[in-house]
Amino acid sequence: MKKGRFGDYGGQYVPETLMSALEELDDAYARFVKDQDYQQILSRYLTEYAGRPTRLTFCENLSRQLGCNIYLKREDLLHGGAHKINNTLGQALLARFMGKKRLIAETGAGQHGVATAIAGAALGLPVEVYMGATDVARQKLNVFRMQLLGAKVIPVETGSRTLKDAINEALRDWVANVQETHYLIGSVVGPHPFPQMVRDFQSVIGEEARAQMLEQQGCLPDAVIACVGGGSNAIGIFHPFLKDRVDLHGVEAGGKGLDGNEHGASLCAGRRGVLHGALSYLLMDGDGQILPTHSVSAGLDYPGVGPEHSMLKDSGRVCYHAVTDDQALDAFFLLSRTEGIIPALESSHAVAYAVELAAQCSRDDTLIINLSGRGDKDVGEVARLRGVA
């Protein structure tokens, strides 16, 4: 693989003003990832503060109902309620080692913003978070959590007022303040080195799941399933299984169906293009303009995807699917009622596909679902959609 590339995908399609910042970050990551002090401090934060390792939970009731063995990798149990903190602690600590004085971030569902605010508070770095105004309205609880943690939330009123526009504004801020600021990207998107760096921080999910499965069952699972927006939780759990004979399934936001444009399924219905500094699969019109997206889940409401996922799609190593808003909502209720675990709407997409896949499985087959986050933040939105509140 050429540096910064996943097959043809990835790269650094950015203004000249950002190249020195990316080179500085690339050099610092390569240096500090091997630094004993950095690794010891990060390991301490991940275990004593964030709560790693997370559990691998066997779902007895759901397994009985679906007719195969279902396990959940419980990233919802981490401090902050989602896998996002694996990456934010890693990047925030790296920023401190680099001498940066300020963190900026973007967020869709709010979980990355909360995780960045947590990392900033823990490591003594001020945080400003860009968030589309539409997402601010539908994720009020997470906006308040960020503010409680000392972060400044900046609503973005341009474009579709969602994650894509928040990333644009964060990039503009970084260009203007690059000397003192680290842009803490929340997924495996953006220019090199972000896709590789975020993947490395999130690979702890798959490394733990693989070891826990061998310890608990004495064998690897038949399949691993994860939702895909930008794709950080998915690449995190997939990566340690890539060389194994394990089926890997990524699940995108099918929204209101792939026949129209109201979805967020870049891999299932997109084509190659450049967005936010990298070549990947995108949702574009015939003139190459980025299309508006839709998902019941703010965290999957994004017109692109990480470049490594694009390579894995082309190679056929990972199969990508889309489930609709209604399927995700049904799965949200299914897991809540059968196991007493309320999943994030992002993770509900993975649960929904597991229901489909289980119909093709035998009683002895074993599936792991990456439960990337808990659903507290989504309860109000689900109640509104179902006419409860």
Side-chain angles (χ1 to χ4, degrees), residues 219-242:
C219 62
L220 294 175
D222 295 288
V224 176
I225 305 165
C227 65
V228 179
S232 65
N233 91 91
I235 211 72
I237 196 167
F238 290 166
H239 204 262
F241 287 101
L242 286 176

Side-chain angles (χ1 to χ4, degrees), residues 131-137 156-166:
M131 190 171 188
T134 298
D135 295 335
V136 168
V156 176
E157 301 285 355
T158 56
S160 59
R161 311 196 311 164
T162 58
L163 180 59
K164 170 178 70 69
D165 311 293

Side-chain angles (χ1 to χ4, degrees), residues 118-186:
I118 290 171
L123 293 166
L125 293 167
V127 173
E128 295 185 22
V129 180
Y130 289 91
M131 190 171 188
T134 298
D135 295 335
V136 168
R138 60 181 173 178
Q139 297 292 341
K140 293 178 182 176
L141 178 59
N142 270 344
V143 171
F144 186 53
R145 291 170 73 195
M146 285 183 264
Q147 293 167 337
L148 278 175
L149 292 160
K152 179 181 179 182
V153 180
I154 304 171
V156 176
E157 301 285 355
T158 56
S160 59
R161 311 196 311 164
T162 58
L163 180 59
K164 170 178 70 69
D165 311 293
I167 293 175
N168 289 337
E169 290 303 316
L171 283 168
R172 290 189 186 98
D173 184 320
W174 199 27
V175 169
N177 301 287
V178 70
Q179 292 300 321
E180 65 175 17
T181 299
H182 175 66
Y183 177 18
L184 206 161
I185 288 183

Side-chain angles (χ1 to χ4, degrees), residues 77-376:
L77 297 179
L78 283 171
H79 179 49
H83 74 291
K84 295 292 187 181
I85 200 166
N86 303 321
N87 170 52
T88 60
L89 284 173
Q91 284 200 52
L93 184 61
L94 181 62
R96 198 171 75 175
F97 268 66
M98 293 170 68
K100 301 294 181 181
K101 305 298 184 187
R102 171 179 177 253
L103 300 176
I104 59 171
E106 88 300 322
T107 193
Q111 286 300 131
H112 173 58
V114 170
T116 304
I118 290 171
L123 293 166
L125 293 167
V127 173
E128 295 185 22
V129 180
Y130 289 91
M131 190 171 188
T134 298
D135 295 335
V136 168
R138 60 181 173 178
Q139 297 292 341
K140 293 178 182 176
L141 178 59
N142 270 344
V143 171
F144 186 53
R145 291 170 73 195
M146 285 183 264
Q147 293 167 337
L148 278 175
L149 292 160
K152 179 181 179 182
V153 180
I154 304 171
V156 176
E157 301 285 355
T158 56
S160 59
R161 311 196 311 164
T162 58
L163 180 59
K164 170 178 70 69
D165 311 293
I167 293 175
N168 289 337
E169 290 303 316
L171 283 168
R172 290 189 186 98
D173 184 320
W174 199 27
V175 169
N177 301 287
V178 70
Q179 292 300 321
E180 65 175 17
T181 299
H182 175 66
Y183 177 18
L184 206 161
I185 288 183
S187 193
V188 285
V189 299
H192 176 75
F194 286 106
Q196 176 188 341
M197 186 170 63
V198 178
R199 178 202 67 196
D200 292 349
F201 286 132
Q202 295 293 2
S203 290
V204 66
I205 305 171
E207 289 164 2
E208 285 180 7
R210 192 177 185 283
Q212 289 166 327
M213 199 70 208
L214 288 170
E215 181 180 354
Q216 291 178 221
Q217 291 296 311
C219 62
L220 294 175
D222 295 288
V224 176
I225 305 165
C227 65
V228 179
S232 65
N233 91 91
I235 211 72
I237 196 167
F238 290 166
H239 204 262
F241 287 101
L242 286 176
K243 295 180 180 178
D244 297 318
R245 297 185 64 181
V246 174
D247 294 338
L248 304 175
H249 298 275
V251 188
E252 294 190 298
K256 297 182 180 179
L258 300 189
D259 293 339
N261 290 328
E262 293 187 89
H263 60 79
S266 307
L267 291 161
C268 293
R271 56 197 177 91
R272 292 158 54 116
V274 172
L275 178 65
H276 297 144
L279 175 67
S280 193
Y281 274 91
L282 309 175
L283 295 174
M284 300 184 295
D285 65 17
D287 296 323
Q289 298 298 308
I290 300 300
L291 289 168
T293 55
H294 163 81
S295 172
V296 70
S297 165
L300 304 185
D301 200 350
Y302 181 62
V305 68
E308 191 167 5
H309 284 291
S310 296
M311 180 188 73
L312 293 170
K313 169 189 164 68
D314 286 359
S315 71
R317 179 62 189 92
V318 180
C319 295
Y320 294 91
H321 318 269
V323 303
T324 65
D325 288 347
D326 287 343
Q327 287 176 289
L329 285 167
D330 288 345
F332 179 91
F333 286 106
L334 175 67
L335 190 64
S336 299
R337 290 171 177 167
T338 56
E339 297 292 341
I341 297 170
I342 301 174
L345 282 173
E346 291 81 0
S347 309
S348 299
H349 286 70
V351 177
Y353 182 72
V355 174
E356 283 188 29
L357 185 60
Q360 307 164 31
C361 293
S362 69
R363 175 62 67 180
D364 294 332
D365 287 341
T366 298
L367 313 181
I368 295 179
I369 303 168
N370 193 22
L371 202 70
S372 56
R374 68 181 187 225
D376 307 37

